[in-house]
Amino acid sequence: MLIASAFLLPALAVSVIALAGAAGPSAAHRVRRTTAILAPLTTLPAVLLSLFGEGARLEVPWLLLGAEFYVDPWARSLTLIAALLYSAALMAVSWTKLRDTEKGSGALTAFLLVCFVGNVGTYVAADAASFYAAFALLSFSAAGLVIHYRSQEAQRATRIYLVMSVISETAILAGLILTASAGGHRVADAPAAVAESELTGLIVVLLLIGFGVKAGTVPLHVWLPLAHPAAPPAASAVLSGAMVKAGLVGWLRFLPLGEAALAATGYTLLALALVGAFAAAAIGVLQRDPKVVLAYSTISQMGFITCLVAAGLLVPELASTAAAASVLYAVHHGLAKGALFLGVPVAKHFGTGGTRWLVLVGLVGAALAVAGAPLTSGAYGKYVSKETVEGVTFLGADLYYLLPLVATGSVVLLMRCGWLLWSAERHPEHRPAGELASWLLVCAAGIAVPWLVGAFWLEAGGFSWELGPLWDATWPLLLGVVLGLGVWWSAHRGWLPGWAVHADGSAVQPGDLVVAEESLAARAGRGAAVVLDGAHRGTAMVRASAWNVMSSAGERTEQGLDGGERRLRSWEFSGAAVLVVLVAALVVLSVGWLV
């Protein structure tokens, strides 16, 4: 009942919003407004499912190829985070100035609810067909969040997002079809089926590409820095906190983790993960929009998580612990990054007056959690992750010593984000609104939930409070502070190189690689246009020449026909022609009779 309610209640709210137009403009507004205000309650069944639904199973034999849903510890943990983030996002977009008559249509609320259904579906799906259906629903409905403001930036971001989504869905569909044909229709059977398939390499590559788009893996990450600044902050919170985790779940469910060692694939994925973890920090620190900076921070953090998946591919014995560590880190990151994205408008509206210090403490606490400061959930997630991958090396360097440096880049990014928020223009709100309440909810959840989930649901182990682990969590942050101050001082003194200053004030435009890709595509398009113009001109010349030849031939033919017609008009010639035809027919008949 809880599984069904987690899907049906949000779907019912979406149906009410969609069908309200039949009641007339005035009534439709009231219905949609009321539904939007109550929308956060539709996530309650998912919360209850996480808290009390361990081991719950739902089978629907008539749906698709026989749909099946199951709640395991991974699904419990991620479903709870998704429910918290989506409820906060729904509160932020619908509980604003309830005394006012808002003229919104409820579209943003509806798209958030559809995305929520797809997001939870990816977590609890126990068969390949249901998983793909939920993943596709999530991917394409998220375009409604990105396009919401209808600006040129939003339209461009949506086009790129849809292109990447089509690439993702195509690769996933092909990979899951091959997985199911190998005997992996059920999620529980998929890893072994992929490992035993004759097409293991092809399947793994398809799944890495397909789910890598959603997980923001380099070089498939280009949609993230464009979608986040284009979407409303509440939508960015779920995009970064919950949706990108669907790619991680796809890897954990279908890759042959623990079944076989895939050295080439594992090292390739590890290299891409490390590039994303460190390069995103270098690019993000040069941005001028705080939401773009946070988007690059998400790419960096997802690179950290991807390192754990790569370790599971390289060393099958680490697969179960690496998976648990990656889910734990995803739980922590979802809440902390959701608090930061929701905090962008909170800082703008409530960063002055009596709520100033509350906002400051909350944002600093969320930033410290993302960076992995001691006593935070980030320190817990990083500690478990480091302990899991100890001994796994890349180019001679142990991941145990490489992964802490990701926190250094995170500190520099978050210092940049904090400076941008501090120097941004304020638009104070005099009364608390839903965005403040939802932000406080996520901040409070981020303090306690990851610790409880890791200890009781994922059994990821505890955090060592000895001096050594505490120092290990501290020195990367101190190094990041030093680097951040160095960057700020260099910029203040004008010591940054000329290439680091772009016309719009940023060294690298949001989307980085996609800018070069668009330039190449534009040049290719112009080249193709030149070629096509030449082909058209050549075709026109050939067509003109052929027309002249045909015209001349036609004229001669017409003259011949006219002459023939004049000759046929004479009785003498006509009679002779008929006589010739009759004689020929008699000859043919005579020969046939003789034979």
Side-chain angles (χ1 to χ4, degrees):
M1 181 181 296
L2 286 176
I3 295 176
S5 299
F7 295 142
L8 295 178
L9 196 57
L12 177 61
V14 173
S15 301
V16 171
I17 293 174
L19 299 176
S26 179
H29 171 71
R30 290 195 300 270
V31 171
R32 287 169 176 164
R33 183 64 178 147
T34 302
T35 305
I37 293 173
L38 298 177
L41 298 178
T42 62
T43 65
L44 184 59
V47 175
L48 297 176
L49 179 65
S50 299
L51 296 176
F52 308 109
E54 181 180 7
R57 185 181 297 274
L58 173 65
E59 297 183 5
V60 189
W62 53 266
L63 182 62
L64 298 175
L65 301 177
E68 185 177 352
F69 304 93
Y70 179 68
V71 182
D72 61 2
W74 299 350
R76 290 185 72 187
S77 306
L78 295 173
T79 298
L80 178 60
I81 304 310
L84 292 173
L85 288 174
Y86 277 95
S87 62
L90 291 166
M91 291 169 60
V93 302
S94 61
W95 292 12
T96 55
K97 300 182 181 180
L98 297 183
R99 64 188 183 278
D100 295 343
T101 302
E102 187 177 343
K103 296 182 180 180
S105 63
L108 183 57
T109 298
F111 277 114
L112 282 170
L113 290 171
V114 175
C115 289
F116 176 69
V117 172
N119 222 154
V120 173
T122 60
Y123 295 158
V124 302
D127 67 281
S130 299
F131 182 94
Y132 179 75
F135 195 94
L137 178 65
L138 170 65
S139 293
F140 291 112
S141 59
L145 306 180
V146 182
I147 195 66
H148 178 71
Y149 287 135
R150 307 298 197 276
S151 62
Q152 291 184 353
E153 293 78 7
Q155 294 176 21
R156 173 175 177 252
T158 304
R159 287 194 298 269
I160 294 173
Y161 173 78
L162 287 174
V163 169
M164 299 304 298
S165 294
V166 169
I167 294 173
S168 170
E169 297 298 326
T170 303
I172 293 172
L173 179 59
L176 293 186
I177 289 175
L178 294 176
T179 300
S181 65
H185 174 67
R186 296 181 69 254
V187 169
D189 303 328
V194 172
E196 296 172 1
S197 172
E198 297 179 353
L199 302 173
T200 298
L202 176 59
I203 296 174
V204 169
V205 169
L206 289 171
L207 296 180
L208 287 177
I209 292 174
F211 294 124
V213 171
K214 189 65 68 183
T217 304
V218 174
L220 306 171
H221 67 289
V222 293
W223 65 273
L224 261 170
L226 299 173
H228 281 75
S236 296
V238 297
L239 278 169
S240 182
M243 290 188 191
V244 296
K245 308 307 186 296
L248 169 65
V249 172
W251 283 340
L252 297 181
R253 298 295 194 196
F254 294 99
L255 288 179
L257 297 171
E259 300 292 337
L262 303 176
T265 305
Y267 279 118
T268 301
L269 183 62
L270 182 57
L272 295 175
L274 291 173
V275 169
F278 293 110
I283 297 174
V285 76
L286 301 172
Q287 305 302 314
R288 298 177 62 87
D289 186 335
K291 291 179 66 179
V292 177
V293 176
L294 292 177
Y296 277 103
S297 175
T298 294
I299 296 171
S300 178
Q301 296 293 307
M302 290 304 297
F304 184 101
I305 297 176
T306 304
C307 288
L308 302 176
V309 178
L313 289 174
L314 291 171
V315 185
E317 293 77 15
L318 297 178
S320 59
T321 55
S326 64
V327 172
L328 172 62
Y329 200 89
V331 168
H332 135 71
H333 176 261
L335 291 174
K337 190 55 65 66
L340 288 176
F341 272 111
L342 290 171
V344 172
V346 168
K348 182 178 181 180
H349 298 149
F350 302 98
T352 60
T355 57
R356 175 178 54 188
W357 295 109
L358 176 64
V359 172
L360 179 62
V361 170
L363 287 175
V364 170
L368 290 174
V370 171
L375 308 181
T376 65
S377 61
Y380 179 32
K382 283 182 168 61
Y383 175 80
V384 172
S385 301
K386 288 193 308 176
E387 294 297 317
T388 298
V389 301
E390 185 175 9
V392 179
T393 61
F394 180 75
L395 299 179
D398 196 321
L399 289 184
Y400 184 88
Y401 301 105
L402 279 178
L403 291 185
L405 294 175
V406 178
T408 302
S410 296
V411 170
V412 178
L413 277 174
L414 295 171
M415 290 177 66
R416 174 63 173 167
C417 181
W419 170 255
L420 293 172
L421 288 176
W422 178 265
S423 58
E425 184 179 358
R426 298 285 191 270
H427 296 279
E429 295 284 352
H430 301 292
R431 296 181 58 179
E435 61 185 13
L436 178 61
S438 62
W439 175 73
L440 291 173
L441 168 67
V442 175
C443 288
I447 296 173
V449 170
W451 295 91
L452 298 175
V453 166
F456 297 104
W457 292 359
L458 299 175
E459 298 180 355
F463 180 76
S464 176
W465 299 100
E466 297 179 357
L467 184 60
L470 290 175
W471 171 246
D472 290 341
T474 303
W475 71 260
L477 276 66
L478 297 177
L479 179 59
V481 171
V482 172
L483 289 177
L485 292 175
V487 171
W488 174 81
W489 182 256
S490 299
H492 182 70
R493 290 288 184 176
W495 293 345
L496 290 179
W499 59 263
V501 181
H502 194 270
D504 65 354
S506 60
V508 181
Q509 294 185 19
D512 49 89
L513 293 178
V514 78
V515 178
E517 293 166 358
E518 286 178 324
S519 177
L520 290 175
R523 293 180 182 179
R526 290 193 294 269
V530 172
V531 172
L532 288 176
D533 288 341
H536 289 161
R537 288 194 296 269
T539 303
M541 294 175 61
V542 172
R543 186 170 60 247
S545 300
W547 176 254
N548 292 332
V549 172
M550 293 175 62
S551 298
S552 300
E555 291 177 358
R556 291 193 295 271
T557 303
E558 184 177 359
Q559 294 173 358
L561 290 175
D562 289 341
E565 184 178 0
R566 287 193 298 270
R567 288 191 293 271
L568 287 173
R569 285 174 183 171
S570 64
W571 285 102
E572 296 83 0
F573 186 84
S574 300
V578 171
L579 182 61
V580 170
V581 171
L582 289 175
V583 171
L586 290 174
V587 171
V588 171
L589 291 175
S590 300
V591 172
W593 179 76
L594 292 174
V595 173

